[in-house]
Amino acid sequence: MTSALRAAIDRAQDAEPTGDHVRSPLHALGRRQLSQLDLIGQSLSTIAPATGMVFIALWMTVSDPGVGGVLTIAATTGVVVLVALCITQFTRRLAAAGSLYSFVFQGLGTRAALVTGTALIVGYLGISISVLAQGARTVLDIGELAGLYLPGTGPWLVTATVLGGVVALIAVRGVRFATRAILVVETCSLILIVATMLVSPAGGPATTELPVSPLSLLPFLALMTVLSMAGFESAAFFGPEARRPLVTVSRTVIVTPLVVGALFVFAAAASLTGRGSLIVGAYFDGVDSGASWAVVLAVKTGMACSWFASTLGCAQAGSRLLYSMGVERVLPSALARVHGTLRTPYPAVVAFVAVSVAGACLYTLLADADSSVFDGVVEIALVAAYTLVAVASLRFLHRIGEDTAWTRSAAVFVALLGGGLLAATTVDGIVHSLLVVPAALVVLLVSGPVWRSVLRRLRPQSLATIGAFDTVETTDLLPGAGTLVLDEHGRPRIVTGGTAEPESSGERM
Amino acid sequence: MTAHVPIRSSETPFGGRQPHAVQKALGMLEAVARLGPGTTAKEIAAFAGVPPATAYRMLNLLVADGYLVRVPDLSGFALGRRTAELAQAATESTPSESLRDVMEDLRGCTRFGLHVASFAGSRLRFVDQDPDHEIVAITTLSKSLHANAIGKLMLAHVPGVCPDAELRRLTEFTMCDRESLARELRDIVSLGYAQECQETRLGRAALAVPVRDSSSFVVGGLYLHGSAARVQPDPDLVRFLVDGSARLTGLL
C-alpha cells in the first residue's frame, strides 16, 4: 500500500472522535431501505407503461401513421434516454429527495431551482390528477360491467376520494411496502396488456373516435410519448432512502426509459399489424366494440391497476419533493415532519394526495371536455424541468471540473431540443389562439424569481438552506482524515485537523 | 450517505480488468490522502495518471461504496470510513466488513435500533452503531451499567466487572437494590438475554443478548432499543436477537 494512504489509515485507528456529529439534513427519512428492484418499481409505476401502451395503440390503430409512427416513438425514446443521461450526472454524485429541483440548484442556483420546483409540482400534480380521474372512471366502468351501474358525478367523486385515501395510506405505511405493492400491480397489468396484444388476432381498424389534436400526427406522437414517459426519473426522489443510491438510482434512471421505450415500440409495432384494435376497442368502447365481456373486464382491470399504481408513484415522488422543500423551509416546515416509526413524510403525502383528489374532482367537473389544454400545461412543465436539468448538468459538471466532451454534447443537445420545443409550443399556442399553454410557460418562468423574492422577505434563512441533499456525515469520514464542521450559515464543510484550511466552497445564489 | 453500505461480493464495480482497476483505485485514494480533503477530480486524475473520463467514473464508484466521500459542495473528495478496511488491522473501532454485513442485514429485518457493543478490556464500547437510531445519551450506558440492558449483560457475563458502589438512580424505574440486581444478573445468565424498561431514560426499553467469540466466551452484546410500549421480551423478538447474535459469533 502507498505511503500517504497507509499513514492515513494508521491515524484513523488512533483517532478519537472529535467535535459534534454532523448529520445529513435528510437523515430523518427511512434510510437504505430500497433495493434496485424497488426503485425500478417506483419509476415504472409512475410512468404506468400499460396505459401508455394502450394510448399508443389507439393512435397507431386509428390514425395509422405507419412505420413512421414506430420510428418516431423509437427516436423520442432515444431523446428521453439522453435526458436520463443528463440526470445521471447528478444522481451519480448526490442523493437528494428533491430530485431535479435539488439538482438544478447545484448547477443554476436558487431562481432556476425554484422554477424547476414549480414545474415538478405542476407536472407531478397534473399527472396525478389526470390518472386519478381516469382511474376512478375505469373503476366505475368495471362496476358497470359487474352489473353495478352508478351514473352521475356523485359516485365518481366518491370513487376518486376513496382511491386517493388508499393511495395516501399505502404511501404513509412505508416506502418499501408501497414500491413493492406498485411493482406487483404494474407488472400484472403489463403482462395482461402484452399478452392480449400477442394472442389477439389481427383485426381491422378500430372505430373509436379520437380527440382532436392541434398538432400534426408525428410531432403529436412524439409529445405523447414524452408525456407517457413522464416520471421516468422519479426514482431520483428516493436517493436518501435507497441502498447504494449513487449506483442504483442512476441505473434505474437510465434503464427505465429504455424498458418503457421498448414496450411502447412493441405496442406501436403490434398495432401496425392490427393486434392493437382488440385492446383499444375493449378499453374505450367496452362490450360495444365486439370484444367479449371477460376480455373487457381483464383489460379494464389491468388499466385500473395501472392508473392506481401511477397515482401512488406520483404521490410518493411528489411527497418527497414537498418534504425536501419543507426541510429547506422553502415551503412550510410542517411538511418536513416524518412519522416516528414508519419514517415516511406523512404531512407531505397527505398534502399531495389531498390536492390531487381536489384537482381530480375539478378536472372532471370542469376540464374533462378539453383535456388537451391540461395535458399541454403538464407537458410544458415537464419539458421545462428536463431542459433546465440539462443546462444545469452542463454548469454543474463545469463547476466541479468533471465535464467531458460527451457530457457536454448530450447536455447541449437536450437543452437545444428542449428549448426549441418550448419555443415551438409557445408559437403554436399563440398562432392557434390557445393562450393557456404559453401563459403557463410564462408563469413557470417568473415563478422562480417571484418565489425567491417572497422567501427573501418572509424567510430569508431558507435561501441559505435551499438545495438540501444527503450530504456527508461525520461517520462517513475516515477518522483523522478531516473534520466535518458547520460554518456560520449552518452549512457543513470539511476542515483538516479541526482547524482552518477549509475546502473550497462555491457560493451560489 | 453511503459509507455503511457494503459491497456485495458478487458485484464487480470496476469491470473486467480487476487488478489493473484496483491499482488505479488505490492510486486515487493515495492522491486524496496525499493532497488532503477537498482535492478535485482533475487533481486526482493527474496525480494517479488516469485518463479523466475513467477517473470520474471510478471516483463515483469509490464514493458510492464509501471509500471516498464528496465534500459538501461536491467539488472535491475526502477519504471515507471504508478506506480503513483496506488495511487488515481491524480493531474494535473499525469492525470488519462481515460484521457490518450482518448488522446491515439484521437492521433490514427490524424497525428498532440495533447496535453492537464490545466488552474488550472490561470496558463497554459500541463498535457498530445503527446510523438511523441514535442512542440518546450513549455515554450514560457505560457509566451506569446497572441501569441498562447491555450494561447488565456485561455485569452478568464478564468476570471482574462489578456494579458501581453507589447504584445511581436515573429514573423512578432504576434498580438500586443490590439484592434484586444480583438476582436479575443470575436470571440474565439463565434466560440468555437482559432487558431494560425505562431504567435509564423514560420511554425507552431495550433488550440485549451476548455475542461470543469462537471459543464461546462472551466478548460483547447485541443491543436493541425502542419505545417502552413496543420493546418487550416476547419470544419472537428474543429469538430474532439470539439468532442475530449467533451470526455475529467470532466477528467481534
Side-chain angles (χ1 to χ4, degrees):
Chain A
M1 191 171 294
T2 43
S3 58
L5 188 55
R6 163 66 70 190
I9 292 171
D10 289 345
R11 251 197 328 271
Q13 282 157 13
D14 303 327
E16 288 292 325
T18 52
D20 294 330
H21 184 147
V22 178
R23 308 193 77 163
S24 154
L26 308 177
H27 69 89
L29 286 170
R31 315 301 292 281
R32 289 178 286 282
Q33 297 187 12
L34 299 179
S35 64
Q36 180 78 69
L37 202 65
D38 293 322
L39 291 171
I40 289 179
Q42 164 64 31
S43 277
L44 271 189
S45 64
T46 312
I47 298 174
T51 58
M53 287 170 77
V54 170
F55 276 87
I56 280 175
L58 167 71
W59 283 89
M60 290 294 294
T61 309
V62 179
S63 308
D64 197 21
V67 180
V70 182
L71 292 178
T72 305
I73 292 168
T76 311
T77 303
V79 173
V80 175
V81 171
L82 278 183
V83 176
L85 269 176
C86 293
I87 295 173
T88 56
Q89 300 307 331
F90 292 100
T91 56
R92 283 184 219 283
R93 292 171 172 89
L94 65 151
S99 182
L100 306 192
Y101 156 73
S102 311
F103 300 158
V104 168
F105 174 80
Q106 292 297 330
L108 297 174
T110 309
R111 290 187 192 86
L114 291 171
V115 171
T116 313
T118 316
L120 285 179
I121 291 175
V122 170
Y124 274 84
L125 262 182
I127 301 171
S128 178
I129 286 168
S130 84
V131 294
L132 184 57
Q134 313 221 45
R137 167 64 44 218
T138 314
V139 167
L140 286 180
D141 286 353
I142 294 171
E144 193 183 330
L145 273 176
L148 187 71
Y149 182 51
L150 294 169
T153 48
W156 186 91
L157 294 179
V158 172
T159 314
T161 312
V162 170
L163 280 182
V166 176
V167 162
L169 272 181
I170 298 179
V172 170
R173 162 69 181 73
V175 62
R176 193 159 45 170
F177 175 76
T179 51
R180 294 199 175 161
I182 52 188
L183 183 60
V184 170
V185 167
E186 190 60 41
T187 311
C188 290
S189 37
L190 267 181
I191 291 172
L192 198 75
I193 302 288
V194 172
T196 315
M197 282 187 172
L198 283 177
V199 300
S200 71
T207 52
T208 312
E209 282 182 26
L210 285 175
V212 184
S213 156
L215 291 170
S216 58
L217 186 58
L218 291 186
F220 172 79
L221 260 183
L223 266 181
M224 198 182 73
T225 310
V226 172
L227 188 62
S228 302
M229 283 200 187
F232 74 90
E233 85 296 350
S234 74
F237 289 98
F238 296 89
E241 294 161 84
R243 293 186 205 137
R244 292 186 86 214
L246 305 183
V247 173
T248 51
V249 171
S250 309
R251 209 178 276 156
T252 310
V253 169
I254 286 286
V255 165
T256 310
L258 283 172
V259 170
V260 175
L263 285 170
F264 286 178
V265 169
F266 165 78
S271 308
L272 265 190
T273 57
R275 291 172 186 277
S277 51
L278 175 69
I279 217 159
V280 168
Y283 180 66
F284 290 98
D285 300 326
V287 283
D288 299 340
S289 69
S292 73
W293 182 86
V295 168
V296 174
L297 182 69
V299 170
K300 294 244 178 197
T301 309
M303 291 290 277
C305 289
S306 204
W307 293 128
F308 177 77
S310 183
T311 316
L312 187 49
C314 288
Q316 296 238 82
S319 64
R320 292 327 187 259
L321 176 62
L322 297 184
Y323 165 79
S324 184
M325 290 178 159
V327 167
E328 299 161 353
R329 304 210 57 218
V330 166
L331 286 179
S333 54
L335 291 169
R337 261 187 236 140
V338 171
H339 191 281
T341 46
L342 302 173
R343 317 298 288 271
T344 46
Y346 65 97
V349 170
V350 171
F352 188 89
V353 173
V355 177
S356 295
V357 170
C361 294
L362 280 177
Y363 176 81
T364 310
L365 295 175
L366 305 174
D368 205 20
D370 191 10
S371 67
S372 66
V373 172
F374 185 86
D375 289 349
V377 172
V378 173
E379 253 161 38
I380 282 278
L382 290 170
V383 172
Y386 295 152
T387 310
L388 279 169
V389 84
V391 180
S393 80
L394 203 61
R395 289 277 302 270
F396 169 66
L397 290 180
H398 181 69
R399 173 171 74 79
I400 65 170
E402 294 179 33
D403 49 348
T404 61
W406 167 236
T407 60
R408 279 194 297 269
S409 334
V412 168
F413 180 75
V414 171
L416 288 178
L417 201 65
L421 195 60
L422 287 176
T425 318
T426 310
V427 171
D428 191 60
I430 294 169
V431 168
H432 289 93
S433 306
L434 192 70
L435 293 177
V436 179
V437 174
L441 185 60
V442 173
V443 169
L444 270 185
L445 293 181
V446 299
S447 67
V450 170
W451 197 344
R452 184 174 179 275
S453 56
V454 170
L455 287 176
R456 197 181 180 138
R457 187 164 300 172
L458 294 183
R459 284 200 288 264
Q461 72 277 26
S462 68
L463 293 176
T465 52
I466 191 168
F469 67 96
D470 218 0
T471 41
V472 54
E473 298 191 347
T474 302
T475 49
D476 298 328
L477 272 172
L478 183 71
T483 311
L484 201 56
V485 294
L486 294 176
D487 67 11
E488 64 272 24
H489 301 295
R491 292 191 191 120
R493 63 184 190 184
I494 295 176
V495 295
T496 41
T499 54
E501 201 182 331
E503 42 91 6
S504 61
S505 70
E507 285 287 325
R508 294 172 307 277
M509 289 305 278
Chain B
M1 287 284 280
T2 53
H4 305 278
V5 184
I7 298 181
R8 301 280 178 270
S9 54
S10 60
E11 288 175 5
T12 52
F14 297 123
R17 293 155 61 202
Q18 292 283 340
H20 200 56
V22 169
Q23 211 171 20
K24 280 183 192 162
L26 280 175
M28 291 181 179
L29 294 177
E30 170 71 12
V32 180
R34 181 79 54 94
L35 303 172
T39 310
T40 64
K42 272 208 172 74
E43 291 165 345
I44 295 170
F47 185 95
V50 178
T54 315
Y56 304 157
R57 202 174 60 246
M58 291 179 72
L59 284 170
N60 286 336
L61 285 170
L62 288 169
V63 172
D65 289 322
Y67 292 104
L68 287 177
V69 294
R70 276 188 186 266
V71 297
D73 87 332
L74 301 167
S75 65
F77 299 84
L79 289 176
R81 179 170 283 268
R82 286 197 74 197
T83 303
E85 291 173 16
L86 296 176
Q88 289 176 334
T91 64
E92 291 156 347
S93 58
T94 54
S96 69
E97 188 185 341
S98 42
L99 172 67
R100 272 177 204 283
D101 275 344
V102 175
M103 289 307 293
E104 185 85 15
D105 203 25
L106 291 177
R107 283 177 190 131
C109 306
T110 179
R111 64 172 55 167
F112 301 116
L114 210 52
H115 310 258
V116 177
S118 158
F119 300 158
S122 299
R123 280 172 62 204
L124 176 63
R125 259 209 300 174
F126 282 90
V127 294
D128 192 289
Q129 293 185 40
D130 193 330
D132 301 330
H133 298 269
E134 200 179 346
I135 305 177
V136 181
I138 190 167
T139 48
T140 324
L141 267 57
S142 54
K143 285 182 188 150
S144 302
L145 296 175
H146 65 288
N148 64 79
I150 193 88
K152 285 189 276 191
L153 189 78
M154 183 167 156
L155 287 172
H157 283 285
V158 181
V161 178
C162 301
D164 290 343
E166 180 217 358
L167 297 181
R168 202 150 66 92
R169 180 174 291 285
L170 300 175
T171 72
E172 55 184 303
F173 300 99
T174 311
M175 186 174 300
C176 300
D177 172 37
R178 286 190 171 276
E179 286 282 319
S180 316
L181 181 65
R183 205 161 42 242
E184 189 178 344
L185 294 182
R186 281 196 297 276
D187 287 347
I188 289 172
V189 177
S190 59
L191 290 172
Y193 67 87
Q195 66 168 312
E196 141 196 1
C197 188
Q198 311 195 62
E199 294 157 53
T200 296
R201 217 180 144 71
L202 288 177
R204 180 166 82 196
L207 296 171
V209 295
V211 174
R212 296 170 190 274
D213 64 7
S214 46
S215 321
S216 291
F217 284 108
V218 174
V219 289
L222 180 61
Y223 182 68
L224 176 146
H225 70 96
S227 81
R230 290 173 180 270
V231 173
Q232 278 151 7
D234 63 72
D236 287 344
L237 199 53
V238 171
R239 177 162 302 280
F240 165 72
L241 282 175
V242 170
D243 292 349
S245 74
R247 289 176 62 191
L248 296 170
T249 302
L251 298 182
L252 262 186

